[in-house]
Amino acid sequence: MLRRTRTAKVYTEPATDDESDDMTGQQKGDSEELEEWLPNSNEGKTKGRRQRGTDETGEKKKVTKRVAKLKEPKPKAVRKPRAARVPKVKKEKTNTKQQTEDAVLPKPELQQHVAVKEERLSINLSSNNAGDMPDECPSSSQHFPKVKKEEPDDSFTFDEPAQKKQKTTNSAQGRPIKLKLGNSCVEDLQMNWDPIQVLAEKSGVEQWVCANIVQLFQEENTIPFMVRYRKELINHMDADAVRDVQLTLEELRSVAKKSRSVSQTLKKEGVLTSELEMALKDCTTADEMDHVYAPYKKGSKLSKARRAKELGLEPVALALLQEPQKLDLQSSIQPNTKGLSTLDEVATGVQEILADMIAKDKETLTYVQSLCDRSSVTIHSSVSKTALKEQQPQQGTQKSKPKDIAKFSLYIDFTCDVQRIQHHQTLAINRGENLKILTVKVNIPDRVKNDFCRWCVNVRWRPQGFARPELMTILKNAVEDSYRRFILPFLSRGYRTKLTASAEKESIAMFVRNLRQRLLMCPVRGRVIMGVDPGFHHGCKIAILSPTSQILHTDVVYLHGPAKHKEAEKLRHLMFKHSCQTIVIGNGKACRETEAFFTDLIKQRFFKPLDVSYCITDEAGASIYSVSPEAVKEMPDMDPNLRSAVSIGRRVQDPLAELIKIDPKHIGIGTYQHDVSQSLLRAALDGVVQECVSFVGVDINICSETLMRHIAGLNAGRARSIMEWKEKNGPFLNREQLKLVKGLGPKSFQQCAGFIRINPETVRSVCSGGNEDLKVPLKQTAEKKKVKGSGITSNQFNPLDQTCIHPESYSIALRFLSQIGGSFDQMGSAALRQSIESSVKSRGLDVLAKSLDTTPETLQLIVDGLTQPPGFDIRQDFEQADFKREIVSMNDLHDGMVVTGRVTNTALFGAFVDIGVGRSGLIPKRFITPDKLPVDQRQRSLALGPGERVEVRVINVDLQRNRISLDLIRVLR
């Protein structure tokens, strides 16, 4: 029988029945009714509404001022109220080229001493950002004033932006590059705004950096390549920040494309005016576009304002504003025409035209948004009428609907300020609304309406001259009607869209950070490993793997039956036979019992003289992988249950190589995967897999085709071509030979070459007979050819091909070695390291870079490559799981007990920790404070990540609900 392991998914809020299949058995128990974790059961209720300035614990938040960032685009000032006049759309021409050329920034002084890095090169694992990105701009083409965001000063939260700008005040700022003429990003958008300026405002990145990033993307550069080899051009931003700019750029392109499409549609219908075309070109968000286009959508009813205009009342409405003293409504009456037959109909038509003009005026929308920013706007959720009606007739017969409503009990009457609502609360409310269980409403105070109407009548839309009382009544009614029918729904949609986008962004960022940390766990090399997929009735599946992940033996043992002593002897025989001293146990069902079994044997010295140790790893997705086409292709004649054991063992031997075979959504690395944009989630997860594979580096001669296709610059087709080339010509001897592969052009080579490694030891093991002189096979010599732009490829080894140094910098590396008197033979040695450090310390990195005609960033990368030992890996050192023997179940826990464990998953509301009792405990977000974290983690928007070992204190054990509350004491290093 195939044992199915459910996909890991931790829900911060109640999961629907059809979604519950996505959760592992362990985490499902942790999160079945997670709504009681956050917010607390007394929050969000009818009488327990949140108050401004208080956090979830009821304590007052301290307001801290944000530090202003350097070189940020200045927000547009709100224009002063002006005398009333008819609004005309003016086209503002911007000289993009001139703005880009003028974006020259002064360069700060460079640090004279740069320490040589030893690990985590070219990738920022800790997200050590010293500055925050500003909030996203509101939904309007003219940006509204921003509200100062309050943040707690004395407790750590996850509420920081998902991607943050890298502030590198101590490093060299990049040089602006001029956008090429005909740049499709700038010219083809054909909008009234400057794409680079708007991109900078929305992403919070300096304009010159945005211009560089746009140019690099136009030249088909990948994010890993830009982050490692073009640091000076992107101001040392990390991959997440660059991806954020990329997504924002795609949104702007989408808006521009929609603007052109709408304009063409309206032009065919004959309703496109110059004012309407300008209004469409002013839009910077999809919401603004929809707001302008809504009255003209095909299939919708003709708007009241358009009907009134067709009756010829537009000149009358304009006259009310411009020359009210000369206006005579009686002259517009036409007794036989519907809509003009009476004075009331004429007045109503004028009112509808004015209401439409007011709702589409940028200055008016800016002002009303500023009023909202200064007011307490709240979001309220309650049970929908549909859910209540469906519940009543089915009482006592069907319990599904009452159960669904109960899952959203915290949001039955929930109110929270839009500035303080948590991301997971937004996603939970959205889910309840999609299930037709909740009704959601944005509440804007009446004071906003009153102030807005007063301002419109007396300032913005005040008639230019004396207006009779009946005309002023029409104007007042128009303002109120415009607010009620157009502006209020527009504001509500804007708030909902912004909250949802922010919550989705943070949830996806949580996936990305968790996945990155899982993929970058350090491999266990040089050991024979026994992978164990635990089970009760169907036995424990075992697979013994060689140090190179080759399958040596597979079997099934029944460790929890009456013959367990006989099975133990069988295990000892296998471990002696294959010299296996390391056991890896999956954390699924029967994990703790299997762990206790091995612990007893180890304690009794049963495997003596072998020094046996074990660890526990997350098996999420192993069963799904075991029946996948890739697993069938890799292990065709093996039972799927045994494939799971192989996967569990390989996850410790090389987590990166094994986990990329599994859909990231099945690895149990985040929350709310069904509630966010699937396209954005897929793009982000694919991006982080590419980053991890590229930054770690791949030995091209032994890696799998699956791993190869995730290298920056490669894809499935190019990876297949590389594998075919190897089968035909033998192993690669240097990076230059990649140019001989069919379909791998100069651009692809540039993007992938720095992330590919050529290891001489690997080639020796691959070549038959262990040929030491490593002569090229005849087939390969015959295939030698001249590569365009690079001459004839060589068949000799290049020691630099083992490093992170890019081939474009090889000549610089040679000159640098010549300067310091070093050689390739000394690479990675202590002598060369000391020589480089003394040279950098005495002259300074920037001076050395200038003498070599390169940038400090490129020289630093060369220094890293020359000083790293052979086989260097940026991944962290492996830490064996540490569980106390006496704690094997929840019954062994008591309040106040201090235990150690490993973080298994992080969510928007806290971190789950495996403490060895078969059920993960939760550290609520409020207990993860800066004083409990290492210095390098205090500025991260995610404090803890999967795989980190922690010391925790048990706060509460709820045996009835299988829940454990923990308090973080410290992170173990």
Side-chain angles (χ1 to χ4, degrees):
M1 292 289 292
L2 169 63
R3 185 176 66 81
R4 299 178 61 187
T5 303
R6 294 178 179 173
T7 307
K9 175 184 176 185
V10 179
Y11 283 84
T12 57
E13 298 301 333
T16 57
D17 294 338
D18 58 335
E19 290 172 334
S20 61
D21 291 336
D22 295 327
M23 308 162 71
T24 58
Q26 178 179 337
Q27 290 184 337
K28 183 177 179 182
D30 294 330
S31 54
E32 258 180 315
E33 299 172 339
L34 211 47
E35 66 274 10
E36 292 192 5
W37 289 112
L38 188 67
N40 294 331
S41 58
N42 62 339
E43 296 181 355
K45 299 287 185 179
T46 307
K47 298 181 181 180
R49 297 184 177 180
R50 300 178 182 274
Q51 299 178 356
R52 292 181 62 111
T54 60
D55 60 11
E56 293 158 4
T57 60
E59 299 174 356
K60 278 197 172 183
K61 290 187 175 183
K62 296 181 180 180
V63 181
T64 57
K65 294 184 178 180
R66 290 194 169 211
V67 180
K69 292 183 284 295
L70 299 176
K71 300 298 177 185
E72 268 196 346
K74 296 182 179 179
K76 295 182 181 178
V78 179
R79 289 181 288 179
K80 296 181 179 179
R82 62 180 180 182
R85 65 171 181 264
V86 180
K88 295 182 180 179
V89 181
K90 296 181 179 181
K91 184 175 181 181
E92 298 178 359
K93 297 183 179 180
T94 57
N95 191 335
T96 306
K97 181 178 179 181
Q98 185 64 32
Q99 288 180 357
T100 308
E101 292 177 352
D102 291 342
V104 180
L105 304 177
K107 295 186 177 181
E109 294 182 359
L110 302 176
Q111 288 185 330
Q112 296 298 317
H113 173 63
V114 179
V116 180
K117 299 179 182 178
E118 293 185 359
E119 59 181 3
R120 303 187 188 179
L121 301 173
S122 303
I123 183 170
N124 188 352
L125 301 183
S126 61
S127 300
N128 246 349
N129 300 335
D132 298 335
M133 284 173 53
D135 298 334
E136 293 182 0
C137 299
S139 301
S140 173
S141 56
Q142 178 166 344
H143 303 292
F144 304 131
K146 297 179 180 178
V147 179
K148 180 172 65 176
K149 184 177 179 182
E150 298 183 1
E151 294 181 346
D153 189 34
D154 55 347
S155 64
F156 187 87
T157 70
F158 291 7
D159 301 337
E160 300 178 22
Q163 279 89 20
K164 301 184 295 182
K165 179 173 63 177
Q166 285 278 352
K167 297 300 292 183
T168 51
T169 54
N170 293 330
S171 61
Q173 288 187 330
R175 57 178 187 274
I177 56 179
K178 298 179 181 179
L179 292 172
K180 295 180 180 178
L181 294 176
N183 188 303
S184 60
C185 172
V186 176
E187 295 186 352
D188 291 352
L189 291 187
Q190 299 175 357
M191 301 296 282
N192 290 344
W193 33 266
D194 177 14
I196 301 301
Q197 181 181 353
V198 176
L199 181 63
E201 292 172 355
K202 286 182 173 291
S203 62
V205 179
E206 292 90 340
Q207 285 195 37
W208 65 270
V209 180
C210 287
N212 289 356
I213 292 175
V214 170
Q215 180 67 41
L216 289 169
F217 280 130
Q218 287 296 114
E219 296 172 354
E220 300 180 354
N221 291 285
T222 61
I223 291 179
F225 178 81
M226 293 160 57
V227 170
R228 173 171 284 185
Y229 299 111
R230 297 293 183 265
K231 292 180 181 180
E232 68 278 3
L233 298 182
I234 62 174
N235 204 23
H236 296 245
M237 291 169 61
D238 62 15
D240 289 339
V242 176
R243 189 184 299 108
D244 186 43
V245 175
Q246 183 185 33
L247 292 176
T248 306
L249 178 61
E250 291 301 321
E251 291 173 4
L252 294 179
R253 284 175 173 160
S254 176
V255 170
K257 182 178 179 181
K258 186 174 182 179
S259 173
R260 292 194 296 271
S261 175
V262 169
S263 295
Q264 292 174 359
T265 301
L266 296 178
K267 188 175 182 180
K268 290 180 181 178
E269 296 176 359
V271 296
L272 182 65
T273 62
S274 58
E275 291 82 5
L276 180 57
E277 186 176 9
M278 289 298 103
L280 290 172
K281 289 188 175 182
D282 283 337
C283 298
T284 58
T285 65
D287 280 346
E288 294 176 18
M289 188 75 62
D290 291 338
H291 182 66
V292 175
Y293 178 49
Y296 306 94
K297 283 185 178 178
K298 189 175 182 180
S300 61
K301 294 181 179 180
L302 195 64
S303 69
K304 296 179 180 179
R306 286 180 64 186
R307 285 199 298 265
K309 289 179 181 179
E310 291 182 356
L311 292 173
L313 290 177
E314 186 172 15
V316 180
L318 296 178
L320 188 150
L321 297 174
Q322 294 174 332
E323 298 176 322
Q325 64 276 11
K326 297 180 181 180
L327 179 61
D328 183 13
L329 296 180
Q330 295 286 347
S331 62
S332 300
I333 297 177
Q334 299 179 16
N336 298 325
T337 303
K338 185 179 180 180
L340 299 176
S341 58
T342 65
L343 182 62
D344 287 342
E345 289 184 351
V346 172
T348 301
V350 172
Q351 173 184 316
E352 288 165 351
I353 293 175
L354 291 174
D356 184 69
M357 292 170 58
I358 293 169
K360 293 177 180 176
D361 179 55
K362 288 174 59 179
E363 186 171 337
T364 301
L365 294 176
T366 301
Y367 183 79
V368 72
Q369 183 67 58
S370 68
L371 291 176
C372 292
D373 291 341
R374 295 194 296 268
S375 304
S376 177
V377 179
T378 60
I379 185 169
H380 177 74
S381 64
S382 59
V383 180
S384 66
K385 294 180 180 179
T386 303
L388 292 175
K389 287 180 181 178
E390 292 178 355
Q391 182 188 25
Q392 291 174 356
Q394 297 177 359
Q395 271 185 334
T397 59
Q398 185 178 353
K399 297 183 180 180
S400 60
K401 278 297 174 183
K403 181 180 179 181
D404 287 344
I405 293 178
K407 286 183 178 181
F408 291 90
S409 60
L410 289 176
Y411 301 101
I412 287 177
D413 193 3
F414 172 79
T415 301
C416 185
D417 193 296
V418 294
Q419 301 292 340
R420 290 172 175 77
I421 189 170
Q422 301 292 313
H423 298 302
H424 69 275
Q425 293 171 340
T426 298
L427 294 175
I429 289 174
N430 289 350
R431 183 191 299 168
E433 186 179 36
N434 293 333
L435 295 173
K436 301 185 184 303
I437 295 176
L438 298 179
T439 297
V440 186
K441 181 181 179 183
V442 176
N443 295 319
I444 298 177
D446 292 337
R447 182 172 63 84
V448 172
K449 176 185 175 182
N450 298 334
D451 292 347
F452 171 74
C453 293
R454 190 181 306 113
W455 177 81
C456 284
V457 173
N458 296 325
V459 182
R460 181 71 181 92
W461 300 93
R462 181 177 180 178
Q464 297 178 1
F466 174 74
R468 298 185 301 278
E470 61 269 22
L471 298 181
M472 291 301 297
T473 300
I474 293 174
L475 179 59
K476 291 178 182 178
N477 292 338
V479 171
E480 293 182 0
D481 183 50
S482 179
Y483 182 84
R484 177 180 56 83
R485 285 198 297 130
F486 301 120
I487 295 178
L488 188 59
F490 173 73
L491 292 172
S492 298
R493 287 195 305 271
Y495 278 114
R496 292 295 305 278
T497 300
K498 186 175 180 180
L499 288 175
T500 300
S502 177
E504 286 189 351
K505 186 178 180 182
E506 180 61 20
S507 182
I508 291 174
M510 183 75 68
F511 271 95
V512 166
R513 292 188 293 258
N514 287 356
L515 179 60
R516 180 184 289 117
Q517 193 143 348
R518 285 291 301 277
L519 294 179
L520 292 178
M521 292 181 66
C522 188
V524 177
R525 303 191 186 278
R527 299 191 195 182
V528 176
I529 282 183
M530 176 187 289
V532 181
D533 185 2
F536 288 119
H537 302 295
H538 301 291
C540 296
K541 280 67 67 177
I542 65 171
I544 299 179
L545 308 174
S546 72
T548 56
S549 296
Q550 301 299 314
I551 303 173
L552 303 178
H553 182 81
T554 58
D555 208 336
V556 179
V557 293
Y558 297 87
L559 306 182
H560 310 297
K564 60 181 181 180
H565 297 293
K566 182 179 179 181
E567 298 294 272
E569 292 289 344
K570 181 179 180 180
L571 283 175
R572 179 165 62 178
H573 171 72
L574 289 174
M575 297 181 74
F576 277 18
K577 178 180 178 180
H578 299 286
S579 300
C580 177
Q581 300 186 94
T582 304
I583 302 171
V584 178
I585 305 172
N587 67 342
K589 188 177 182 181
C591 167
R592 297 308 161 198
E593 292 77 7
T594 304
E595 177 195 10
F597 177 85
F598 279 106
T599 303
D600 287 338
L601 295 181
I602 294 172
K603 190 175 182 180
Q604 298 168 13
R605 301 178 180 268
F606 183 76
F607 301 109
K608 193 177 180 181
L610 296 179
D611 183 16
V612 176
S613 60
Y614 75 92
C615 68
I616 295 177
T617 191
D618 193 343
E619 67 173 35
S623 295
I624 293 177
Y625 163 72
S626 67
V627 294
S628 67
E630 186 163 344
V632 174
K633 181 180 177 181
E634 187 179 1
M635 297 171 277
D637 301 324
M638 186 176 294
D639 184 88
N641 295 288
L642 296 175
R643 291 179 192 148
S644 296
V646 174
S647 178
I648 288 171
R650 287 176 175 174
R651 289 183 183 204
V652 173
Q653 285 187 317
D654 194 338
L656 180 63
E658 187 63 23
L659 291 176
I660 63 164
K661 302 175 184 177
I662 304 169
D663 189 331
K665 292 189 294 184
H666 296 157
I667 304 179
I669 41 96
T671 55
Y672 289 102
Q673 64 189 42
H674 292 302
D675 298 312
V676 301
S677 168
Q678 295 302 298
S679 60
L680 292 178
L681 178 61
R682 165 55 58 189
L685 296 183
D686 288 347
V688 76
V689 170
Q690 185 187 67
E691 293 158 26
C692 293
V693 172
S694 300
F695 289 142
V696 169
V698 171
D699 190 334
I700 193 70
N701 288 317
I702 60 173
C703 74
S704 65
E705 183 179 330
T706 304
L707 184 64
M708 196 184 305
R709 69 178 62 149
H710 292 289
I711 302 173
L714 300 184
N715 53 27
R718 292 168 189 152
R720 193 178 307 112
S721 297
I722 291 175
M723 297 298 289
E724 292 173 355
W725 194 95
K726 286 198 300 181
E727 292 174 2
K728 182 179 180 181
N729 301 285
F732 287 91
L733 303 183
N734 53 57
R735 287 171 171 170
E736 285 294 319
Q737 289 182 333
L738 288 167
K739 296 178 180 179
L740 302 176
V741 177
K742 182 180 179 181
L744 199 67
K747 194 64 187 181
S748 299
F749 174 80
Q750 179 199 42
Q751 298 300 303
C752 72
F755 306 116
I756 286 176
R757 304 284 184 269
I758 307 293
N759 190 338
E761 297 298 329
T762 302
V763 177
R764 290 191 180 95
S765 64
V766 172
C767 289
S768 59
N771 191 359
E772 294 297 329
D773 56 5
L774 294 171
K775 292 181 180 178
V776 185
L778 294 178
K779 285 185 180 179
Q780 190 165 324
T781 306
E783 290 291 332
K784 281 199 307 178
K785 62 180 180 180
K786 188 171 182 179
V787 180
K788 184 178 180 180
S790 60
I792 299 176
T793 58
S794 170
N795 293 324
Q796 302 298 321
F797 274 113
N798 188 333
L800 296 177
D801 287 343
Q802 308 174 61
T803 69
C804 61
I805 303 173
H806 197 279
E808 66 185 10
S809 303
Y810 280 2
S811 61
I812 302 172
L814 290 172
R815 296 203 308 269
F816 177 65
L817 276 175
S818 177
Q819 271 194 11
I820 62 174
S823 64
F824 285 144
D825 297 336
Q826 296 177 302
M827 282 177 51
S829 66
L832 182 62
R833 181 186 183 87
Q834 184 177 2
S835 176
I836 290 176
E837 284 183 341
S838 62
S839 179
V840 170
K841 185 175 182 180
S842 62
R843 301 184 60 186
L845 195 69
D846 54 334
V847 176
L848 284 172
K850 190 174 181 179
S851 67
L852 295 168
D853 194 23
T854 187
T855 63
E857 291 80 8
T858 300
L859 182 56
Q860 179 63 63
L861 204 60
I862 291 172
V863 168
D864 296 336
L866 294 176
T867 55
Q868 290 165 357
F872 173 80
D873 199 319
I874 66 170
R875 290 173 283 185
Q876 302 175 7
D877 293 335
F878 174 74
E879 294 182 8
Q880 186 174 332
D882 182 17
F883 298 123
K884 294 188 176 182
R885 174 63 186 89
E886 65 272 12
I887 300 177
V888 294
S889 72
M890 290 182 63
N891 294 321
D892 298 322
L893 297 176
H894 59 80
D895 295 355
M897 177 181 287
V898 176
V899 294
T900 59
R902 191 178 293 276
V903 177
T904 58
N905 193 18
T906 53
L908 297 173
F909 54 87
F912 285 98
V913 179
D914 188 348
I915 56 174
V917 296
R919 185 76 62 182
S920 293
L922 175 71
I923 307 177
K925 180 177 61 176
R926 62 181 179 273
F927 293 136
I928 306 175
T929 56
D931 58 299
K932 301 176 182 178
L933 301 172
V935 176
D936 61 341
Q937 290 181 224
R938 294 180 182 178
Q939 298 301 322
R940 286 165 49 180
S941 57
L942 176 64
L944 298 174
E948 291 187 291
R949 293 182 61 234
V950 292
E951 186 177 42
V952 294
R953 179 180 292 104
V954 179
I955 299 176
N956 180 46
V957 180
D958 189 341
L959 296 176
Q960 184 177 0
R961 298 196 177 197
N962 287 327
R963 291 182 178 176
I964 308 168
S965 297
L966 304 173
D967 181 13
L968 176 65
I969 297 178
R970 63 192 176 101
V971 177
L972 301 176
R973 289 292 178 89

